[in-house]
Amino acid sequence: MNLKGFAVGNGMSSYKLSSNSLMYFSYYHGIFGTSLWKDLHRYCCMNDKCNFYNPTSMRCREDVKKVADFIFDNLNVYNAYANCFHSTSQSIRIRVALSNLFIHYKKFHDRLNAVNGNYPCANNTAVTVYLNSFDVKEALHVASNLPPWSVCNLKLNKQYHRIYKHTITIYPKLITSLRGLLYNGDLDLACNFLMEEWAVDSLNLTVIQPRQAWYYNDFSGKQVGGYVIRYKNFDSATVRGSGHMAPQDKPIPTFQLMKNFIFNKPYSTPYDN
């Protein structure tokens, strides 16, 4: 395989950084209030360092659980500003996403497992119908005796043993010979953009181009598509106003971002050029 590069969209680079950054993301997006934020800092932080991931303080754990309750309460974990699509048939995907959060909080996961398929939000009807259609399965050479395609498999998710809790360190090895792009929708809670920025920053890569906006054009003119920091052979970008599924939420700017990465052009280059 003549591999030239790789792109990762809204990946889980670090469970620890995800838990720690999610508190900041949630507070500054108005999900919980100042009183709880002060308590979190009082009981979870010391010398300007906070541990929301696996704290030993019971009071800290109680306060983190309160944040989890806000997120669990009919909030779309894939897009903080999007409404929930209420359908029990789509609940598995959201449960899989939530299973990656608060991994050291047993009560949260006990509650998640007790939902019995009733957690709402994600609407995967279109892709499910499409991938289960006869013509598509025939074109993809899917055997007729296989079960229907589904977006997530809860049984597989429960049985799957996650070996790695921190994957960001693989990127410096990859970019010695490949070009890389990490991009995040900036409204995603499942794999929030702040975690990714902290993870990339921890690599201490040499910055080639400091953080700046990249742009695209819509019917009313020039718009901010997101922000990007460029390193040697490696870029870290956001897609403004999108959630976990950036191509679904913001198809035009995400298409431009990906096309320009593939052809190694500046990200503000219009997609039709």
Side-chain angles (χ1 to χ4, degrees), residues 128-141:
T128 302
V129 171
Y130 176 75
L131 289 176
N132 282 304
S133 67
F134 176 79
D135 292 343
V136 172
K137 290 200 292 185
E138 187 176 48
L140 296 175
H141 306 287

Side-chain angles (χ1 to χ4, degrees), residues 217-233:
N217 293 315
D218 68 3
F219 62 91
S220 59
K222 183 177 180 180
Q223 305 292 344
V224 174
Y227 299 88
V228 61
I229 304 174
R230 308 202 73 170
Y231 308 88
K232 183 179 179 181
N233 286 345

Side-chain angles (χ1 to χ4, degrees), residues 97-113:
L98 286 167
S99 70
N100 289 320
L101 305 178
F102 308 106
I103 62 173
H104 287 291
Y105 293 82
K106 184 177 182 298
K107 288 184 179 180
F108 174 78
H109 287 271
D110 287 345
R111 180 181 176 188
L112 182 62
N113 291 330

Side-chain angles (χ1 to χ4, degrees), residues 24-206:
Y24 290 87
F25 181 98
S26 300
Y27 174 63
Y28 287 107
H29 281 81
I31 293 172
F32 65 90
T34 301
S35 177
L36 180 53
W37 182 240
K38 288 180 178 179
D39 285 343
L40 285 165
H41 273 263
R42 182 178 298 114
Y43 298 109
C44 304
C45 306
M46 183 176 296
N47 299 325
D48 294 326
K49 290 186 177 181
C50 301
N51 178 14
F52 307 116
Y53 176 61
N54 57 350
T56 56
S57 165
M58 288 306 300
R59 177 57 193 270
C60 173
R61 295 180 70 86
E62 290 172 4
D63 288 333
V64 172
K65 175 62 168 55
K66 292 176 183 177
V67 177
D69 289 341
F70 278 109
I71 293 173
F72 194 84
D73 187 19
N74 286 290
L75 189 65
N76 189 335
V77 71
Y78 286 120
N79 188 321
Y81 292 165
N83 291 332
C84 276
F85 176 80
H86 291 273
S87 169
T88 56
S89 63
Q90 305 301 334
S91 65
I92 292 176
R93 181 170 185 168
I94 208 76
R95 290 177 66 186
V96 170
L98 286 167
S99 70
N100 289 320
L101 305 178
F102 308 106
I103 62 173
H104 287 291
Y105 293 82
K106 184 177 182 298
K107 288 184 179 180
F108 174 78
H109 287 271
D110 287 345
R111 180 181 176 188
L112 182 62
N113 291 330
V115 169
N116 293 324
N118 293 319
Y119 198 89
C121 285
N123 183 358
N124 302 299
T125 303
V127 68
T128 302
V129 171
Y130 176 75
L131 289 176
N132 282 304
S133 67
F134 176 79
D135 292 343
V136 172
K137 290 200 292 185
E138 187 176 48
L140 296 175
H141 306 287
V142 176
S144 59
N145 62 329
L146 292 177
W149 180 90
S150 61
V151 68
C152 287
N153 186 309
L154 189 58
K155 182 178 179 180
L156 181 63
N157 182 68
K158 283 185 175 181
Q159 295 177 352
Y160 181 75
H161 175 62
R162 293 172 174 84
I163 301 173
Y164 302 102
K165 299 294 192 294
H166 190 81
T167 59
I168 190 67
T169 51
I170 195 175
Y171 295 124
K173 300 173 185 177
L174 293 175
I175 62 176
T176 57
S177 58
L178 301 171
R179 292 173 50 241
L181 168 67
L182 266 63
Y183 68 96
N184 284 72
D186 58 12
L187 295 178
D188 181 23
L189 288 97
C191 300
N192 75 83
F193 81 95
L194 194 55
M195 166 200 64
E196 206 75 273
E197 292 198 358
W198 288 2
V200 172
D201 186 64
S202 72
L203 299 176
N204 295 313
L205 302 174
T206 301

